[in-house]
Every structure is written in C-alpha cells, then in structure tokens.
Amino acid sequence: MSERDVDADLVKRVQQGDKRAFDLLVLKYQRRIMRLLSRMVRDPAEVEDVTQETFIKAYRALAQFRGESAFYTWLYRIAINTARNWQASANRRPLLINPAENDEGETFDQIENLTDISTPESEMVSKQVVETVNAAIAALPEELRTAIVLREIEGMSYEDIAQTMGCPIGTVRSRIFRAREAIANQLRPVREAGSTDRGW
C-alpha cells in the first residue's frame, strides 16, 4: 500500500466521522508543515499558530476533498495560503532560511544545491554564501520563493508543486529556473571572492 493509499484511507475514515484518523494525519504531517511554514513565518511561536490554523482549515475542508491530488499536496496548498493570509494581515516579511541545523538534522547543504555552485572553502566566504542565499531567496517574488522552497527544501515533484500552487507545470519550471538564476547571480561575486581567497 502506497503512502497516498494510506492517506486516502485515513481521509475516508475522517469523512465517515473518525476523528482519530485525522489525529494520525496530523501526527504524520505536522513536522513537515511546520518546516515549510518556518520558511515563510518569522516568529517560531507563530509558526505553531499558523500550523494549527492550517490543520483546522484542512479538517473543516476535508469533506470536500476528492482525492484528485495527494493529500499532502492538498495540505501544503492550504498551509501556503494560510501563511500568505497571515503575512498579509500584518504586512509581515518572510523568515530567511536558517543555516543552523534543525531538529531533523537538515543543514544549509541542501540550500547550496539550489545553484550547483560549490561551497567556498573559507569559513568566512561560506558565511557570506549563507547570507547571500538568504537575502536572495527573501528578495524573490512570492511565487518564485514558494516554488524554489517546495522544490529544493521540501523535495516536492514539479507535478505536486503545480497542484499545490494551482498553476501549470510549465509555469512551475519557469519559476524555479528564474529563482535559481536570481540566486546564482547574487552568489557569483561571493564565489569569485572565494576562488581568489582560497589560499587563506
């Protein structure tokens, strides 16, 4: 039984009135949703609030879920829309990606894969890379930022991103390409400085 089949079974049970089945879905996806939202919401305490609101909205809308997409794709879309509404309500800025390890052991190495640019050996230049990538991602238009985070941080397929963002796959590919290009352009001077200073 695939993950999608397991989720579909749990969704069906929720739709038939089994609240414990929804608890299982929350347990399964809570950390992934929190990780996604932590890229969009600045205050960690508010990440929890937005996560909770995401699951409340999902629970209320589950009766209309028809299984045309994977449950987690549908849930991610709700999470992104909830975060957008939260940001718009107070004109908040998104959180920059934190280079420190999180509780799942993820490090900034994943972010470096965005541009296929090798990490400079100097610690000082590495720190500049982190800061530059953070700034570049934060400066991206929302559509590009969401697409690149879903692809490179969350590891979602182009098809799932298209469903999550409600746009064609070609649009997703274009947004990811443009995001990578923008990040690479910002990183180029840092990389060149790293190449020059490798004797340190």
Side-chain angles (χ1 to χ4, degrees):
M1 200 177 211
S2 71
E3 181 179 3
R4 182 166 179 165
D5 290 337
V6 170
D7 288 352
D9 182 60
L10 289 171
V11 167
K12 187 175 180 181
R13 285 167 53 189
V14 176
Q15 289 172 335
Q16 292 170 346
D18 184 353
K19 292 183 179 179
R20 289 175 299 175
F22 189 73
D23 291 342
L24 294 174
L25 288 168
V26 172
L27 287 172
K28 183 175 181 180
Y29 288 112
Q30 187 171 22
R31 288 179 72 177
R32 287 170 71 177
I33 294 298
M34 287 185 76
R35 188 175 67 218
L36 170 69
L37 292 173
S38 71
R39 315 292 181 193
M40 305 176 76
V41 177
R42 181 169 294 278
D43 185 339
E46 290 181 329
V47 170
E48 293 184 18
D49 291 342
V50 179
T51 300
Q52 185 176 17
E53 187 177 343
T54 296
F55 281 106
I56 290 170
K57 287 182 177 179
Y59 182 75
R60 289 174 178 164
L62 210 51
Q64 284 77 47
F65 180 72
R66 298 288 174 241
E68 293 168 1
S69 63
F71 172 76
Y72 81 88
T73 303
W74 179 79
L75 183 62
Y76 271 41
R77 187 170 188 174
I78 292 173
I80 289 169
N81 288 336
T82 302
R84 284 177 179 162
N85 292 341
W86 178 87
Q87 288 172 351
S89 69
N91 197 21
R92 298 172 172 103
R93 292 178 55 216
L95 176 68
L96 302 183
I97 291 175
N98 186 348
E101 258 187 48
N102 67 14
D103 59 355
E104 293 186 1
E106 292 178 337
T107 65
F108 189 73
D109 292 344
Q110 290 178 297
I111 311 301
E112 290 165 3
N113 293 333
L114 295 177
T115 57
D116 296 325
I117 295 175
S118 57
T119 308
E121 294 168 4
S122 161
E123 283 185 22
M124 182 169 159
V125 175
S126 293
K127 184 179 177 184
Q128 289 178 336
V129 168
V130 172
E131 292 170 352
T132 302
V133 171
N134 276 337
I137 291 175
L140 290 171
E142 183 183 338
E143 294 81 10
L144 304 191
R145 185 173 63 246
T146 299
I148 199 73
V149 167
L150 290 176
R151 177 64 181 168
E152 301 295 351
I153 308 301
E154 295 302 318
M156 289 176 69
S157 69
Y158 287 99
E159 292 79 6
D160 286 344
I161 296 169
Q163 289 180 354
T164 299
M165 297 187 72
C167 64
I169 290 177
T171 302
V172 170
R173 293 185 187 280
S174 172
R175 288 173 180 175
I176 290 172
F177 173 80
R178 286 161 54 204
R180 285 177 173 156
E181 190 174 42
I183 294 165
N185 286 340
Q186 293 298 316
L187 273 174
R188 194 167 290 115
V190 178
R191 183 185 181 204
E192 289 168 359
S195 298
T196 305
D197 298 335
R198 278 187 182 155
W200 288 7

